[in-house]
Amino acid sequence: MLKKLILTATLLLSALNAWAAEDTAETRPLFLRGEMNNWEAPDAAQLAQQEPGVLMAKADLKASHGAYKFKFADAKWKGDTTFGQFDPTAKLTLESPIQAKAGYQWSDMRFTPEADGSYGFVLDRRDPKHIQVSIKKL
């Protein structure tokens, strides 16, 4: 009986250690969360790796909506993977990326599409000190 208890405890500890090691800011799945999806984290809004450090999610937007507010975040809004706009005066357009930072204190990003269509929301984390967000028309 004691052997079974020790074996079970060892297996549980191993599983917990493996799970904890995988839950980091670099390995946690990120999502485009905003007015385009009711701030939820649906599978369709998960960012996919385009190249190392560059992630993108797609969204269909309507020009009649006006400015869409959004952030990039994991499913649980953890602080180290909730990316907001660092400079609230910066304007995000198709031609100009803005700087983002991880943390709850940073403001929502805003993007106003000029036309209805599919857009790619890009989070570039190649340089952790200068994280960039850009949008492209697909």
Side-chain angles (χ1 to χ4, degrees):
M1 176 70 172
L2 183 57
K3 287 182 181 180
K4 286 184 181 180
L5 183 60
I6 292 172
L7 178 61
T8 302
T10 302
L11 289 172
L12 284 173
L13 286 173
S14 296
L16 286 173
N17 286 338
W19 177 74
E22 292 176 10
D23 185 33
T24 68
E26 290 77 30
T27 61
R28 201 174 297 137
L30 297 177
F31 299 86
L32 171 64
R33 301 185 73 166
E35 292 180 334
M36 67 284 295
N37 58 20
N38 203 27
W39 297 94
E40 299 294 327
D43 290 342
Q46 185 171 343
L47 277 74
Q49 185 168 304
Q50 303 300 296
E51 59 183 89
V54 179
L55 306 167
M56 186 179 80
K58 298 174 187 175
D60 292 329
L61 305 180
K62 300 280 186 193
S64 61
H65 179 278
Y68 283 86
K69 293 180 187 177
F70 71 96
K71 287 187 176 188
F72 295 105
D74 64 73
K76 296 184 179 182
W77 291 101
K78 291 186 178 181
D80 60 347
T81 47
T82 297
F83 294 91
Q85 185 166 332
F86 179 62
D87 176 1
T89 64
K91 185 169 172 90
L92 181 58
T93 65
L94 290 176
E95 295 81 31
S96 59
I98 61 169
Q99 186 175 2
K101 291 217 179 231
Y104 297 116
Q105 72 272 30
W106 308 117
S107 62
D108 296 339
M109 292 174 265
R110 290 177 174 78
F111 173 69
T112 304
E114 292 182 9
D116 294 357
S118 291
Y119 292 83
F121 289 74
V122 179
L123 180 65
D124 184 341
R125 299 191 299 179
R126 290 178 289 190
D127 180 354
K129 293 182 180 182
H130 299 285
I131 297 170
Q132 296 286 308
V133 173
S134 60
I135 298 179
K136 59 184 176 179
K137 183 99 164 66
L138 303 175

